[in-house]
Amino acid sequence: MAGTGKAHLRDTDDIILRVEDLVMEFPVGRTGLKVNAVSGISFDVRRGETLGLVGESGCGKSTTGKAIMQLPRPTSGSVLFEGNELTTLEGQAMREARTRMQMIFQDPISSLNPRRKVRDIVREPLVIWKRGLPTEQLDKVDALLEEVGIDPQRAAESQPHQFSGGQCQRISIARSLVLDPSLIICDEPVSALDVSVQAQVLNLLEDLKAKHGLTLIFVAHDLAVVKNISDRVAVMYLGKMCEVAPSDVLFEAPAHHYTAVLKDSIPVPDPEIAVGKVAIEGEPPSPVLPPNGCRFHPRCPAADERCSTEEPQLREIADNHFVACHHPIVGGEAPVAVRSATSPVS
Amino acid sequence: MRYALTRIARFVFVFVIVTFLVMLATRIGSKDPIRDLAGGQVSPEVMAKVEADYPYIEKCEGALAYLPCMGKQYAAWTFDMVRGEMGYSYAQEQTVGEMFKQRGPATFWVGFWAIIIGLLIAIPVGVYSAYKRDSLFDRFMSFGSFATLSTPQLVVAVFLLYAVASRFDFFPNLWNYVAPWSSPVDHFKNFFLPSLTLGIGLGAVWSRLLRADMIMTLQSDFINLARAKGVSPNRVLWVHALRSSVLSLITSVALQLSGLVSGAVVAEQFFGVGGVGGRLVIAVQQNDILIIQAITAVVVAVVVIVNVGVDLLYAVVDPRIRQARALG
Amino acid sequence: MSTQLQTSGRIESGTLIEVENLSTHFSTPRGVVRAVDGVSFTLERGKALGVVGESGSGKTVLSRTIMGLQPRRGTRLGGSVRFEGKEILGLQPKQMRGVWGKEMAMIFQDPMTSLNPLMKIGRQIEEPLRNHLGMTKDDATATAKRLLQDVRIPEAERRLQQYPHELSGGMRQRVMIAIAMACGPTILFADEPTTALDVTVQAQILDLINEQRRERNMSVVLVTHDLGVVAGHTDEIAVMYGGKLVEKAPTRRLFAAMKMPYTEALMQSIPKLEEPSHTRLATIPGRPPDLVNPPVGCRFSPRCPYASDKCREEEPPLIPTADDPSHSYACWYPVGSPEYLEARARLDAQKVKVA
């Protein structure tokens, strides 16, 4: 894994976002070294699809989400969104394009201006873009607040800190929807929330997606959450793409050794499932000096000579299932401890 | 290396700006700079001598010519300074260099002891107030420091002079410079009250600062962990918490340095300390241009150099700053 | 109940901690917060107890109160905590010092902020060794190195000379465990020890804690919001809601036959990898209770789909189940009871009608 390649890109009319060879690098002080946050990844998203981006901290998933928004502009690569090449778009055209995609963040409370009333926060984009008459704006804001389950009356009188974390995330969602975007990038939107609230927000996102015809990019580290909400999932490791597949396929039969490791590391809420041996030791190496070849090879149970020199390319191993690995797992035969698949009691 | 270079560049920049502004300020109030330099009503011969000694000093006139004219004089003055010739005071019949040699040590010791007294007050009070937050001690100290802060140094000086100095024969009536190594006791007698005048105020400010930082630190997880390890409360307080809380204190010590100069003027005047501060007052009254310029130049240099020292001290206290600088 | 007074390490089994009717109340400008409100349980030596709850359930305050680390200002404690038969609740820090680090150790959630950023790793591990065991500097350094090796930190020697910011999150959590293990405590409180870590590292750390527990016959209290974390790493689970213990059972038993509708709802709201994508998640309506003015009756009643008038008026006691005395719950109409089944059938019928 940790490979490049574009075999998984689709060529249909309904592609809303197409990212090719995206590279994002940041300098390390003045040492001349650089953090290779994202090193040449490609993916596309269909209109109405939810793409999940998973991986551990430092894999570049959040950076990718922000790079799509051009915050900041990527070091190189192409981001084609609704027919516009965003990496070369300037000024007003860029601002217009940004209204078509919105982002929601992990910490909902700090992403809302603490000194303003919630209703004004949600309305602000409409005011900036002069969309509609004031009464129309307020009607729209109130309707959206109702939709996300926030009382508009209370929103008109209260500031963000008077709401709970889950409610603030709902408010962020309402704000992101107010300009009728087509794409929403969700950066760890539920990882700061309690499980009971997390379920509410995930369900809400599903409902809003259907109602507003949204396309979602869902960045998260929690595999179960990503599986639940996504149609297609892309697994990242150290700035590279490992595996891309439909959500159900990916977790049923992971082909990349890293995906298998991730899956096996999740604690399952069922004591009947024997806790296997730790799936992997150690931690990812520094993105400043990433390994050659496949970036996962120093930790991979199946790595050989070739993996340390030659970078694997994404290739299709089953219908719509792409993996960047020289020795993919076939037929669910994993080299690490496999857990029995008893379903949990609930 | 890069770090040192940026520091030096910044030092030169600050030094030039401040000293140039001071020169402008002294000249704006002067109708005849040569006469001021000579010390007021003097004979034409003296005036001629002064003019010969400082050929570059002239009165600048005309809106357009003013800055270039001053700039030229500033360049000449800087050149003299770099050569170590800080100027001559005709009014006091003394070179500026001699003046510093004679009066500098007194001011240094007043300032030095004031900082020590300030820290001796601030550290125990700050640490203990934070530890016993909202206790009677904390409230009393908080009241005390606000009272001190709102009392002008003048009043403190008057109080110490009449309530302490005049009642105890221990303190000399007539101030005398005694170096600490020639007689520690006499040094103490002469320097304690002026230093205390300055030190009390510093202690009040610093104890508030330290208290606020300590309260933040004491709530952090690593303090909880230290307690959970069974580390003694004293060690938690003085080893774990204090060191993490001194950064703003160090900054404030550096920032207060220039303030110390103005404080020194008050203290020196009241206790008759023959220091640089007292001399500065006379120089200002007489519009003794070169003295004012030289004293400011030295003060600016000291403040900036101490700030560099403080910056280095940050790196000693916090390894993360060390690392960030190494990456530079 | 054991009334042993010996020091740790010699006794193999028996009760280690008895908590009785423990309460921790804070005064705030809004009123008294009942963060922990009448919690009782016992913990055996060498066993791992999982304390599960959402934020604000009181789980963190509970563990800190038992350990005596809860700040004293504005806090009112009630009830009793007996450690090895001795009452330790409300002891002065001076009296607890011999217990902290030596008998009871704690690791915190955020390894980024829990180590002293200005002190070398080595010194932070040596501190309790020199403090409690009176080791010399050299002995302490040697022991610190061995502890780092125990928690599988590579290049232990070099790490001793490093500062926390030079280590990754997972490494720092290992250092925290090394510090906690330094004096061979009889009990370890781990407060969300893996929440800030990546899943692969989380698995390693949980495994490490388990391994240390078995090797040292140490008890562990694992505080977490994640039912997945406790499922594989505890012997018993205590579920907290609104400052109360609402269900407690051996781990397998709890997952097989949970009684509290809250536990059930919590379980159902977790997305599961076995389920196909886009499976509708069960949610718990509303929000956790306000602990200044907790609801009358059962604290979960305002959010419970099966609640009746009795639930909203009378508080259910924590009682053992008929068939298993080690499993207790606080609910008038537990999962599986006739009233529960009836309410559930009614709700299902409503759902069908709405659909």
Side-chain angles (χ1 to χ4, degrees):
Chain A
M1 84 120 143
T4 40
K6 296 174 197 169
H8 59 303
L9 295 186
R10 294 161 293 193
D11 195 19
T12 50
D13 295 342
D14 59 350
I15 295 298
I16 182 170
L17 176 78
R18 188 182 181 102
V19 173
E20 282 183 73
D21 303 316
L22 185 77
V23 175
M24 192 68 124
E25 291 164 354
F26 304 102
V28 183
R30 292 197 182 95
T31 53
L33 297 172
K34 56 186 198 284
V35 178
N36 300 279
V38 178
S39 305
I41 62 164
S42 307
F43 59 89
D44 56 15
V45 191
R46 269 189 181 150
R47 197 171 286 280
E49 187 176 52
T50 299
L51 173 73
L53 277 181
V54 279
E56 296 181 275
S57 46
C59 74
K61 57 188 191 298
S62 282
T63 311
T64 302
K66 292 185 185 109
I68 296 170
M69 298 286 290
Q70 309 294 303
L71 295 169
R73 263 177 209 264
T75 312
S76 68
S78 138
V79 178
L80 198 66
F81 172 63
E82 293 188 326
N84 292 316
E85 177 53 53
L86 298 186
T87 52
T88 54
L89 224 50
E90 298 284 346
Q92 189 63 15
M94 184 70 230
R95 291 186 64 214
E96 293 274 4
R98 271 204 192 120
T99 64
R100 303 286 300 148
M101 49 185 184
Q102 294 288 321
M103 200 154 182
I104 37 186
F105 299 94
Q106 173 172 0
D107 184 351
I109 297 174
S110 72
S111 64
L112 300 174
N113 185 340
R115 275 179 288 277
R116 305 198 57 189
K117 298 279 193 282
V118 162
R119 196 191 196 195
D120 296 331
I121 293 174
V122 176
R123 183 185 168 199
E124 191 180 22
L126 291 174
V127 176
I128 292 172
W129 286 95
K130 302 192 181 66
R131 298 258 177 99
L133 301 167
T135 50
E136 291 167 355
Q137 289 178 351
L138 287 176
D139 287 347
K140 176 158 196 185
V141 167
D142 290 353
L144 270 174
L145 283 169
E146 290 274 13
E147 233 180 280
V148 299
I150 299 288
D151 175 17
Q153 196 57 42
R154 194 170 157 224
E157 293 158 1
S158 319
Q159 290 164 333
H161 66 90
Q162 289 162 291
F163 292 88
S164 70
Q167 288 173 317
C168 282
Q169 198 56 286
R170 290 165 184 273
I171 294 164
S172 298
I173 293 171
R175 178 181 58 176
S176 73
L177 290 178
V178 78
L179 288 174
D180 302 312
S182 54
L183 176 70
I184 306 244
I185 299 169
C186 312
D187 189 0
E188 301 271 9
V190 294
S191 44
L193 306 176
D194 273 318
V195 274
S196 64
V197 183
Q198 167 179 294
Q200 294 171 3
V201 172
L202 288 174
N203 285 348
L204 176 69
L205 279 172
E206 289 271 27
D207 295 344
L208 292 172
K209 182 188 156 194
K211 184 159 174 213
H212 294 259
L214 298 169
T215 306
L216 298 184
I217 292 182
F218 196 93
V219 178
H221 69 276
D222 186 326
L223 264 69
V225 166
V226 169
K227 178 180 181 187
N228 180 275
I229 197 157
S230 307
D231 302 303
R232 205 170 187 228
V233 176
V235 182
M236 290 181 71
Y237 181 80
L238 219 56
K240 295 278 187 184
M241 206 64 111
C242 303
E243 187 165 5
V244 183
S247 196
D248 289 327
V249 174
L250 185 87
F251 295 106
E252 191 59 43
H256 201 286
H257 297 276
Y258 179 63
T259 314
V261 157
L262 269 186
K263 188 187 162 199
D264 285 344
S265 300
I266 305 173
V268 186
D270 183 354
E272 301 303 324
I273 295 177
V275 178
K277 235 195 89 45
V278 167
I280 193 167
E281 290 294 346
E283 290 168 55
S286 155
V288 176
L289 297 165
N292 289 327
C294 168
R295 289 195 176 174
F296 187 58
H297 87 264
R299 307 174 72 202
C300 182
D304 63 8
E305 203 46 43
R306 185 177 171 213
C307 303
S308 61
T309 50
E310 189 190 327
E311 183 174 8
Q313 301 289 306
L314 275 168
R315 60 194 165 102
E316 189 162 18
I317 53 157
D319 183 34
N320 217 358
H321 187 169
F322 300 85
V323 65
C325 178
H326 294 310
H327 314 290
I329 304 163
V330 200
E333 181 240 323
V336 284
V338 185
R339 291 166 174 175
S340 67
T342 332
S343 70
V345 188
S346 56
Chain B
M1 195 56 215
R2 173 184 283 278
Y3 174 73
L5 285 178
T6 50
R7 285 278 131 180
I8 290 170
R10 207 181 295 173
F11 170 79
V12 172
F13 181 75
V14 171
F15 183 83
V16 168
I17 296 286
V18 175
T19 48
F20 187 67
L21 285 177
V22 167
M23 189 172 90
L24 287 184
T26 55
R27 292 307 178 75
I28 282 167
S30 171
K31 289 201 177 66
D32 184 351
I34 306 278
R35 184 164 298 281
D36 284 338
L37 203 58
Q41 299 302 320
V42 292
S43 63
E45 294 84 62
V46 178
M47 287 289 282
K49 187 178 176 308
V50 174
E51 247 189 295
D53 283 351
Y54 294 98
Y56 64 82
I57 294 207
E58 54 178 307
K59 186 160 170 62
C60 295
E61 270 166 320
L64 276 178
Y66 192 78
L67 275 183
C69 164
M70 288 301 272
K72 218 168 66 198
Q73 295 187 37
Y74 180 78
W77 174 80
T78 319
F79 187 62
D80 277 356
M81 287 293 282
V82 172
R83 282 187 312 167
E85 286 181 24
M86 293 195 276
Y88 185 81
S89 166
Y90 296 90
Q92 304 291 322
E93 296 181 342
Q94 193 179 34
T95 67
V96 176
E98 274 168 25
M99 186 277 289
F100 272 119
K101 218 178 282 169
Q102 191 193 341
R103 293 171 164 264
T107 300
F108 169 80
W109 288 116
V110 170
F112 177 79
W113 292 120
I115 291 175
I116 299 292
I117 290 171
L119 290 176
L120 284 177
I121 296 173
I123 293 177
V125 170
V127 168
Y128 203 69
S129 296
Y131 182 55
K132 295 274 174 198
R133 183 150 65 108
D134 297 338
S135 66
L136 208 63
F137 173 85
D138 181 31
R139 276 178 228 188
F140 178 74
M141 280 302 161
S142 142
F143 172 79
S145 61
F146 282 118
T148 313
L149 282 178
S150 42
T151 313
Q153 274 164 345
L154 255 152
V155 178
V156 178
V158 168
F159 172 79
L160 288 177
L161 203 58
Y162 291 102
V164 184
S166 63
R167 278 163 205 264
F168 299 96
D169 291 340
F170 180 75
F171 296 104
N173 285 327
L174 206 68
W175 186 86
N176 231 321
Y177 177 73
V178 183
W181 40 84
S182 55
S183 165
V185 177
D186 284 338
H187 178 78
F188 176 79
K189 284 183 185 173
N190 281 290
F191 280 99
F192 180 65
L193 290 180
S195 300
L196 188 62
T197 307
L198 294 179
I200 286 180
L202 295 177
V205 182
W206 294 341
S207 64
R208 299 317 291 169
L209 267 178
L210 185 60
R211 175 187 179 271
D213 278 5
M214 278 291 282
I215 285 174
M216 291 288 289
T217 308
L218 285 175
Q219 287 167 350
S220 52
D221 281 348
F222 74 87
I223 292 298
N224 266 323
L225 183 76
R227 296 179 64 217
K229 284 199 289 193
V231 174
S232 75
N234 272 326
R235 199 176 149 80
V236 169
L237 218 51
W238 297 100
V239 177
H240 285 270
L242 180 59
R243 194 167 161 205
S244 307
S245 314
V246 291
L247 282 184
S248 5
L249 184 64
I250 293 175
T251 311
S252 170
V253 171
L255 288 176
Q256 295 279 333
L257 217 66
S258 45
L260 216 55
V261 175
S262 58
V265 172
V266 175
E268 289 183 10
Q269 293 288 84
F270 268 86
F271 294 93
V273 175
V276 177
R279 189 68 190 80
L280 183 64
V281 176
I282 300 171
V284 170
Q285 284 162 352
Q286 295 181 334
N287 214 354
D288 199 340
I289 301 165
L290 290 177
I291 293 275
I292 300 174
Q293 280 183 217
I295 291 177
T296 2
V298 170
V299 169
V300 172
V302 169
V303 168
V304 177
I305 288 168
V306 168
N307 271 292
V308 172
V310 162
D311 232 71
L312 295 175
L313 206 55
Y314 282 166
V316 173
V317 172
D318 194 333
R320 288 166 297 183
I321 296 178
R322 229 174 293 158
Q323 189 189 41
R325 285 198 187 143
L327 290 176
Chain C
M1 303 272 147
S2 154
T3 50
Q4 303 272 19
L5 289 166
Q6 285 102 315
T7 45
S8 61
R10 290 180 221 146
I11 312 154
E12 296 288 297
S13 58
T15 305
L16 183 66
I17 283 198
E18 294 166 73
V19 174
E20 236 178 271
N21 203 20
L22 182 67
S23 64
T24 313
H25 295 179
F26 312 119
S27 325
T28 68
R30 282 184 55 234
V32 175
V33 176
R34 300 176 153 94
V36 174
D37 210 10
V39 169
S40 306
F41 67 87
T42 59
L43 177 60
E44 304 286 304
R45 276 171 204 280
K47 297 284 182 197
L49 170 72
V51 178
V52 181
E54 297 184 90
S55 45
S57 63
K59 58 188 193 301
T60 293
V61 176
L62 174 70
S63 63
R64 293 197 180 193
T65 303
I66 294 173
M67 220 180 140
L69 282 172
Q70 195 58 43
R72 294 163 161 266
R73 288 161 32 80
T75 306
R76 223 183 59 235
L77 302 175
S80 138
V81 176
R82 279 189 298 282
F83 176 69
E84 295 186 323
K86 289 168 287 186
E87 178 63 49
I88 58 165
L89 188 69
L91 287 187
Q92 293 297 317
K94 238 180 273 166
Q95 297 161 289
M96 286 300 286
R97 262 191 62 207
V99 176
W100 286 338
K102 194 166 178 229
E103 303 286 331
M104 297 177 156
M106 185 170 238
I107 51 180
F108 297 91
Q109 172 175 354
D110 190 351
M112 299 296 163
T113 59
S114 302
L115 293 170
N116 187 334
L118 308 183
M119 208 184 258
K120 285 181 183 163
I121 301 292
R123 225 176 130 207
Q124 300 196 43
I125 307 174
E126 288 159 24
E127 249 184 343
L129 293 171
R130 304 188 63 184
N131 232 322
H132 292 300
L133 308 180
M135 283 193 190
T136 61
K137 170 85 183 131
D138 288 348
D139 286 352
T141 308
T143 311
K145 189 180 152 196
R146 217 192 48 240
L147 283 162
L148 284 186
Q149 287 161 346
D150 282 354
V151 295
R152 291 197 292 283
I153 289 185
E155 302 173 82
E157 186 100 46
R158 191 167 67 87
R159 304 290 180 189
L160 292 175
Q161 296 302 318
Q162 288 187 314
Y163 288 96
H165 71 268
E166 298 173 83
L167 305 183
S168 69
M171 283 295 166
R172 285 186 226 191
Q173 201 59 292
R174 284 172 191 272
V175 170
M176 290 244 281
I177 294 173
I179 292 173
M181 294 302 112
C183 299
T186 36
I187 184 165
L188 173 71
F189 291 88
D191 187 356
E192 301 267 13
T194 58
T195 307
L197 304 176
D198 278 317
V199 272
T200 58
V201 183
Q202 163 171 289
Q204 297 166 13
I205 295 292
L206 290 172
D207 198 56
L208 179 65
I209 292 175
N210 236 346
E211 177 193 294
Q212 296 287 324
R213 170 168 76 94
R214 276 195 300 268
E215 275 175 20
R216 298 166 187 271
N217 191 34
M218 172 178 76
S219 305
V220 169
V221 175
L222 186 62
V223 177
T224 177
H225 68 279
D226 190 335
L227 274 167
V229 166
V230 286
H233 295 89
T234 57
D235 303 301
E236 265 188 309
I237 293 177
V239 181
M240 287 193 72
Y241 185 82
K244 297 256 177 202
L245 200 61
V246 292
E247 185 158 16
K248 183 177 182 261
T251 303
R252 277 163 190 269
R253 162 88 187 183
L254 183 85
F255 281 93
M258 41 188 68
K259 289 287 181 197
M260 246 316 263
Y262 173 66
T263 316
E264 188 193 46
L266 204 56
M267 188 70 205
Q268 284 168 349
S269 64
I270 306 173
K272 284 159 208 75
L273 220 47
E274 299 77 21
E275 290 167 355
S277 92
H278 302 298
T279 301
R280 189 84 183 164
L281 296 168
T283 60
I284 307 176
R287 296 164 55 190
D290 174 10
L291 295 178
V292 174
N293 293 305
V296 181
C298 170
R299 291 194 180 174
F300 185 56
S301 60
R303 301 173 76 189
C304 183
Y306 316 117
S308 70
D309 288 345
K310 183 175 181 186
C311 301
R312 286 180 277 267
E313 284 155 15
E314 269 178 79
E315 189 175 323
L318 190 71
I319 48 160
T321 50
D323 56 332
D324 185 348
S326 66
H327 182 185
S328 38
Y329 62 94
C331 181
W332 292 124
Y333 308 115
V335 176
S337 66
E339 291 87 348
Y340 165 92
L341 291 172
E342 191 188 310
R344 181 158 193 163
R346 205 169 53 235
L347 288 171
D348 287 346
Q350 268 172 15
K351 247 181 242 160
V352 171
K353 220 183 278 170
V354 171

PDB file of all heavy atoms in Angstrom, chain B residues 28 58 61 119-120 136 152 155 208 287 307:
ATOM      1  N   ILE B  28      14.058  69.495  20.578  1.00  0.00           N
ATOM      2  CA  ILE B  28      12.842  70.275  20.370  1.00  0.00           C
ATOM      3  C   ILE B  28      12.692  71.313  21.470  1.00  0.00           C
ATOM      4  O   ILE B  28      12.269  72.428  21.243  1.00  0.00           O
ATOM      5  CB  ILE B  28      11.614  69.327  20.282  1.00  0.00           C
ATOM      6  CG1 ILE B  28      11.587  68.698  18.891  1.00  0.00           C
ATOM      7  CG2 ILE B  28      10.311  70.065  20.551  1.00  0.00           C
ATOM      8  CD1 ILE B  28      10.653  67.552  18.740  1.00  0.00           C
ATOM      9  N   GLU B  58      24.610  71.712  15.865  1.00  0.00           N
ATOM     10  CA  GLU B  58      24.081  72.977  15.368  1.00  0.00           C
ATOM     11  C   GLU B  58      22.567  72.970  15.540  1.00  0.00           C
ATOM     12  O   GLU B  58      21.975  71.935  15.800  1.00  0.00           O
ATOM     13  CB  GLU B  58      24.444  73.145  13.891  1.00  0.00           C
ATOM     14  CG  GLU B  58      24.007  71.951  13.058  1.00  0.00           C
ATOM     15  CD  GLU B  58      24.333  72.138  11.588  1.00  0.00           C
ATOM     16  OE1 GLU B  58      23.935  73.180  11.050  1.00  0.00           O
ATOM     17  OE2 GLU B  58      24.956  71.241  10.988  1.00  0.00           O
ATOM     18  N   GLU B  61      17.020  73.955  11.406  1.00  0.00           N
ATOM     19  CA  GLU B  61      15.825  74.760  11.101  1.00  0.00           C
ATOM     20  C   GLU B  61      15.275  74.401   9.727  1.00  0.00           C
ATOM     21  O   GLU B  61      15.986  73.850   8.888  1.00  0.00           O
ATOM     22  CB  GLU B  61      16.168  76.244  11.170  1.00  0.00           C
ATOM     23  CG  GLU B  61      15.950  76.795  12.581  1.00  0.00           C
ATOM     24  CD  GLU B  61      16.607  78.160  12.763  1.00  0.00           C
ATOM     25  OE1 GLU B  61      17.719  78.371  12.273  1.00  0.00           O
ATOM     26  OE2 GLU B  61      15.974  78.993  13.403  1.00  0.00           O
ATOM     27  N   LEU B 119      11.683  39.643  44.140  1.00  0.00           N
ATOM     28  CA  LEU B 119      11.529  38.195  43.970  1.00  0.00           C
ATOM     29  C   LEU B 119      11.323  37.505  45.319  1.00  0.00           C
ATOM     30  O   LEU B 119      10.537  36.559  45.441  1.00  0.00           O
ATOM     31  CB  LEU B 119      12.757  37.608  43.274  1.00  0.00           C
ATOM     32  CG  LEU B 119      12.910  37.990  41.792  1.00  0.00           C
ATOM     33  CD1 LEU B 119      14.200  37.430  41.225  1.00  0.00           C
ATOM     34  CD2 LEU B 119      11.723  37.473  40.978  1.00  0.00           C
ATOM     35  N   LEU B 120      12.038  38.003  46.346  1.00  0.00           N
ATOM     36  CA  LEU B 120      11.888  37.392  47.672  1.00  0.00           C
ATOM     37  C   LEU B 120      10.471  37.560  48.200  1.00  0.00           C
ATOM     38  O   LEU B 120       9.970  36.737  48.956  1.00  0.00           O
ATOM     39  CB  LEU B 120      12.889  38.002  48.655  1.00  0.00           C
ATOM     40  CG  LEU B 120      14.335  37.512  48.495  1.00  0.00           C
ATOM     41  CD1 LEU B 120      15.250  38.231  49.481  1.00  0.00           C
ATOM     42  CD2 LEU B 120      14.408  35.997  48.698  1.00  0.00           C
ATOM     43  N   LEU B 136      -7.621  32.987  53.753  1.00  0.00           N
ATOM     44  CA  LEU B 136      -7.445  34.280  54.407  1.00  0.00           C
ATOM     45  C   LEU B 136      -6.125  34.900  53.976  1.00  0.00           C
ATOM     46  O   LEU B 136      -6.032  36.089  53.652  1.00  0.00           O
ATOM     47  CB  LEU B 136      -7.469  34.068  55.925  1.00  0.00           C
ATOM     48  CG  LEU B 136      -7.959  35.286  56.710  1.00  0.00           C
ATOM     49  CD1 LEU B 136      -9.402  35.587  56.335  1.00  0.00           C
ATOM     50  CD2 LEU B 136      -7.808  35.035  58.203  1.00  0.00           C
ATOM     51  N   PRO B 152       1.797  55.371  45.102  1.00  0.00           N
ATOM     52  CA  PRO B 152       2.944  55.829  44.319  1.00  0.00           C
ATOM     53  C   PRO B 152       4.244  55.590  45.079  1.00  0.00           C
ATOM     54  O   PRO B 152       4.264  55.638  46.310  1.00  0.00           O
ATOM     55  CB  PRO B 152       2.683  57.325  44.148  1.00  0.00           C
ATOM     56  CG  PRO B 152       1.260  57.533  44.507  1.00  0.00           C
ATOM     57  CD  PRO B 152       0.872  56.446  45.436  1.00  0.00           C
ATOM     58  N   VAL B 155       5.153  57.967  47.793  1.00  0.00           N
ATOM     59  CA  VAL B 155       4.558  57.807  49.116  1.00  0.00           C
ATOM     60  C   VAL B 155       5.305  56.733  49.894  1.00  0.00           C
ATOM     61  O   VAL B 155       5.592  56.890  51.086  1.00  0.00           O
ATOM     62  CB  VAL B 155       3.062  57.455  48.985  1.00  0.00           C
ATOM     63  CG1 VAL B 155       2.446  57.231  50.354  1.00  0.00           C
ATOM     64  CG2 VAL B 155       2.337  58.540  48.217  1.00  0.00           C
ATOM     65  N   ARG B 208       1.308  38.799  41.990  1.00  0.00           N
ATOM     66  CA  ARG B 208       0.012  38.605  41.316  1.00  0.00           C
ATOM     67  C   ARG B 208       0.194  37.760  40.056  1.00  0.00           C
ATOM     68  O   ARG B 208      -0.573  36.854  39.781  1.00  0.00           O
ATOM     69  CB  ARG B 208      -0.621  39.949  40.913  1.00  0.00           C
ATOM     70  CG  ARG B 208      -0.934  40.895  42.033  1.00  0.00           C
ATOM     71  CD  ARG B 208      -1.562  40.252  43.217  1.00  0.00           C
ATOM     72  NE  ARG B 208      -2.924  39.778  42.990  1.00  0.00           N
ATOM     73  CZ  ARG B 208      -3.570  38.998  43.826  1.00  0.00           C
ATOM     74  NH1 ARG B 208      -2.998  38.582  44.932  1.00  0.00           N
ATOM     75  NH2 ARG B 208      -4.792  38.608  43.548  1.00  0.00           N
ATOM     76  N   ASN B 287      18.943  70.854  30.619  1.00  0.00           N
ATOM     77  CA  ASN B 287      18.958  70.518  29.198  1.00  0.00           C
ATOM     78  C   ASN B 287      20.373  70.129  28.765  1.00  0.00           C
ATOM     79  O   ASN B 287      20.862  70.563  27.723  1.00  0.00           O
ATOM     80  CB  ASN B 287      18.415  71.682  28.372  1.00  0.00           C
ATOM     81  CG  ASN B 287      17.666  71.171  27.154  1.00  0.00           C
ATOM     82  OD1 ASN B 287      17.665  69.964  26.901  1.00  0.00           O
ATOM     83  ND2 ASN B 287      17.048  72.060  26.414  1.00  0.00           N
ATOM     84  N   ASN B 307      17.121  41.567  27.972  1.00  0.00           N
ATOM     85  CA  ASN B 307      16.052  40.845  27.282  1.00  0.00           C
ATOM     86  C   ASN B 307      16.582  39.659  26.494  1.00  0.00           C
ATOM     87  O   ASN B 307      15.940  38.621  26.419  1.00  0.00           O
ATOM     88  CB  ASN B 307      15.274  41.790  26.376  1.00  0.00           C
ATOM     89  CG  ASN B 307      14.124  42.435  27.123  1.00  0.00           C
ATOM     90  OD1 ASN B 307      13.176  41.764  27.484  1.00  0.00           O
ATOM     91  ND2 ASN B 307      14.245  43.719  27.404  1.00  0.00           N
TER      92      ASN B 307
END
